[in-house]
Amino acid sequence: MTRHHEVIVVGAGISGIGAVIRLQRMGIDDVVVLEKGDALGGTWRDNTYPGCACDVPSALYSYSFAPNSDWSRLFAGQDEIRGYIERTASEHGVHERVRFGTELVRAQWDETARRWVLETSNGTFTANAVIAAAGPWNQPLIPDIPGLDGFTGEVFHSSRWNHDYELAGKRVAVVGTGASAVQFVPEIAPTVGELHLYQRTAQWVLPKPDTALPGTVRSVMGAVPGALNVLRRIQYGIMEALGVGFRNPWILRVIQQIGRAQLRAQIRDPQLRRSLTPDYTLGCKRLLMSNTYYPALNRVNVEVHSNAVQQVRGNVVVGADGQEREVDAIIFGTGFHILDMPIASRVFDGHGRSLDDHWKGSPRAYLGTTVAGFPNAFVLLGPALGTGHTSAFMILEAQLDYLTAAIAAARSAGWTRMETRPEVQAAFNAEVQQALGTTVYNAGGCQSYFLDVNGRNSFNWPWSTGRMRNRLRHFDESAYLTSTEVSS
């Protein structure tokens, strides 16, 4: 049996939950969420590694319509964030709209019926509009290392942490030194027998201004009208001030002296310090913060290898420098399929061409939200909207303003089809690419996940989030091809 709905959302993380709440507020009750997992939360459900926490101040890492005055820390941990997400979803009746254990297999636009047909692991659905809310931090990326399949020990990615495996006393190889590794390495280093950290590129690590928030402070935030909003505005202003540096890299070269000072203060060995010193501008890669990462690398049981893993032979990891280390476990902290999102191979236009076919390795959308060739479809946290300095919630809510305005316009006008004009999308992306040229993302002297397989920055927004909100605040009908007809 095929089930039809006005709107179908794919993914029940922060994006999908936010979309449902905003759609409900505008009177759309016929909306369901397809979620392949058995619980809400997205990346905050999946990432349970030791030390997992937010790297954005908690007051900003929340929905503006669901403020939380009870964060226990300035930067909340995974369990608290997931609890907040679950609580917010429950308070807004999201759970009953979610079809758990339902994975999208294929979604294709039916030009004749003017609707989307979604084949899932739990049957077929159709919808007038589809919202892709799976997000870029969804599918873990594990590098293709020769011999890995023959490794005789335990292997897992940080986002699929095996809590049943006892690390105490084990010889462990950690591959990757990104945001997750910076958090979990200090947690496991004191208990493992040996820790071999394989670092292809040194990372800038700034001090993390984290602190516990006393109950009295939290009580004031909850009791005094507007207090939490003031804190949110202050934190937003600080992050936006940092964002000026991302558009003017010389400012970040000044700020990176803080990182150098922390490195000098916390790493005693001159040779190790040289290995951990980046050769590019702060902000070219994702900004990392930690007060415990460098001290963990001083431990006698920790060895930093300043190269990639070349191959695995049995239970021996071989570095690119030829050095061999026998280990019991390999943990990957190698990030996600950010720009080669798996959902892009599952969404098809009316001619049977997938998003992957359209993008050819370089994701493109109009305002990061709609894609030419894919009518009545929206992408949340899409291409060219990522920033290095602010909260994903800021981006998401700007998009939700646009998305709900677009759906409201379609409902009001009776449109059965609404598709981005290709020339409008092309002009927007040309504008983005030109502006990115002078940002630290492109001019910082590094290779990062911001760059796609073609070497094009398909991830970043080159301006302020204020400009993003302004661009996404109003729906411009002239940017779309619209129709009230149904094909015959």
Side-chain angles (χ1 to χ4, degrees):
M1 180 182 71
T2 299
R3 290 146 287 182
H4 179 76
H5 299 281
E6 183 172 356
V7 181
I8 289 181
V9 180
V10 181
I14 64 169
S15 299
I17 293 168
V20 170
I21 294 171
R22 290 292 298 273
L23 289 170
Q24 288 179 157
R25 286 187 169 187
M26 63 178 289
I28 296 182
D29 294 320
D30 188 15
V31 53
V32 299
V33 184
L34 308 182
E35 169 54 52
K36 65 181 179 181
D38 58 2
L40 301 174
T43 189
W44 294 105
R45 174 200 62 211
D46 295 340
N47 284 270
T48 61
Y49 59 81
C52 183
C54 195
D55 52 12
V56 172
S58 305
L60 284 183
Y61 204 81
S62 53
Y63 302 105
S64 63
F65 53 79
N68 179 36
S69 61
D70 201 35
W71 296 115
S72 67
R73 304 193 63 82
L74 193 60
F75 292 80
Q78 176 267 339
D79 56 341
E80 256 192 293
I81 295 172
R82 184 178 178 186
Y84 164 77
I85 294 170
E86 288 270 7
R87 186 169 63 254
T88 301
S90 179
E91 290 171 353
H92 290 84
V94 175
H95 287 83
E96 50 263 37
R97 300 192 182 277
V98 182
R99 305 297 178 259
F100 292 108
T102 303
E103 182 174 3
L104 177 67
V105 176
R106 180 187 178 96
Q108 182 162 355
W109 173 252
D110 183 337
E111 186 63 38
T112 300
R114 297 291 173 93
R115 60 179 52 180
W116 282 92
V117 179
L118 297 93
E119 298 171 15
T120 78
S121 59
N122 193 26
T124 301
F125 295 77
T126 60
N128 297 347
V130 166
I131 300 172
W137 298 280
N138 180 354
Q139 187 66 31
L141 174 63
I142 296 181
D144 185 14
I145 299 175
L148 181 62
D149 288 345
F151 181 63
T152 56
E154 185 70 21
V155 179
F156 56 87
H157 189 275
S158 61
S159 67
R160 304 293 186 267
W161 197 272
N162 184 358
H163 293 278
D164 293 329
Y165 182 74
E166 180 56 64
L167 287 171
K170 299 295 198 306
R171 300 163 299 179
V172 179
V174 174
V175 181
T177 54
S180 58
V182 164
Q183 292 184 341
F184 75 71
V185 163
E187 298 294 321
I188 68 173
T191 62
V192 300
E194 299 174 11
L195 195 155
H196 298 279
L197 181 65
Y198 288 87
Q199 168 194 273
R200 288 195 307 172
T201 308
Q203 301 276 3
W204 284 108
V205 182
L206 295 180
K208 189 171 187 177
D210 192 18
T211 185
L213 296 174
T216 53
V217 172
R218 291 145 63 184
S219 296
V220 169
M221 287 294 164
V224 178
L228 186 59
N229 189 47
V230 169
L231 176 61
R232 184 180 172 96
R233 288 178 179 274
I234 290 172
Q235 291 179 342
Y236 173 76
I238 293 171
M239 301 302 278
E240 282 304 296
L242 179 62
V244 174
F246 284 77
R247 301 187 294 277
N248 299 275
W250 67 268
I251 297 175
L252 292 177
R253 295 189 190 101
V254 175
I255 295 175
Q256 72 188 28
Q257 297 309 313
I258 299 172
R260 289 186 187 276
Q262 175 167 255
L263 182 58
R264 286 194 300 269
Q266 294 185 338
I267 297 295
R268 299 183 296 267
D269 181 1
Q271 183 175 344
L272 178 57
R273 196 183 307 138
R274 283 192 295 273
S275 298
L276 296 171
T277 301
D279 60 359
Y280 54 87
T281 305
L282 172 75
C284 185
K285 289 178 176 285
R286 180 174 173 176
L287 185 62
L288 306 180
M289 294 185 292
S290 175
N291 304 320
T292 57
Y293 179 63
Y294 287 148
L297 304 187
N298 283 323
R299 297 182 61 87
V300 294
N301 66 327
V302 176
E303 183 178 7
V304 177
H305 303 265
S306 300
N307 51 72
V309 174
Q310 184 180 71
Q311 62 175 307
V312 175
R313 291 201 301 264
N315 65 340
V316 173
V317 174
V318 183
D321 59 358
Q323 292 193 44
E324 301 181 357
R325 295 295 184 268
E326 190 172 331
V327 299
D328 303 302
I330 300 175
I331 303 174
F332 287 97
T334 43
F336 299 86
H337 288 272
I338 299 291
L339 294 172
D340 54 340
M341 297 173 283
I343 196 171
S345 65
R346 303 183 185 194
V347 179
F348 295 79
D349 65 14
H351 304 287
R353 297 180 65 215
S354 70
L355 270 172
D356 273 344
D357 294 333
H358 279 253
W359 286 343
K360 295 181 171 57
S362 293
R364 295 174 301 281
Y366 175 53
L367 298 177
T369 308
T370 57
V371 181
F374 293 80
N376 301 7
F378 304 87
V379 182
L380 294 178
L381 300 183
L385 287 182
T387 74
H389 67 278
T390 196
S391 165
F393 280 86
M394 294 290 174
I395 302 168
L396 170 63
E397 292 204 44
Q399 283 191 281
L400 292 179
D401 286 343
Y402 189 83
L403 180 155
T404 52
I407 291 179
R411 282 183 123 202
S412 176
W415 298 332
T416 57
R417 191 181 194 282
M418 179 180 66
E419 179 191 348
T420 307
R421 293 179 182 272
E423 67 275 15
V424 171
Q425 177 174 295
F428 167 74
N429 281 278
E431 181 186 8
V432 168
Q433 291 304 309
Q434 182 177 7
L436 280 170
T438 56
T439 66
V440 73
Y441 311 121
N442 282 29
C446 76
Q447 291 290 318
S448 71
Y449 70 65
F450 303 147
L451 306 181
D452 60 37
V453 294
N454 300 314
R456 178 182 182 273
N457 187 331
S458 297
F459 184 83
N460 291 113
W461 175 263
W463 305 291
S464 69
T465 54
R467 182 165 176 174
M468 181 189 297
R469 291 200 312 274
N470 287 334
R471 290 289 294 268
L472 287 164
R473 184 167 287 135
H474 304 290
F475 173 72
D476 182 6
E477 178 183 341
S478 67
Y480 293 83
L481 298 165
T482 62
S483 173
T484 59
E485 302 297 323
V486 175
S487 296
S488 58

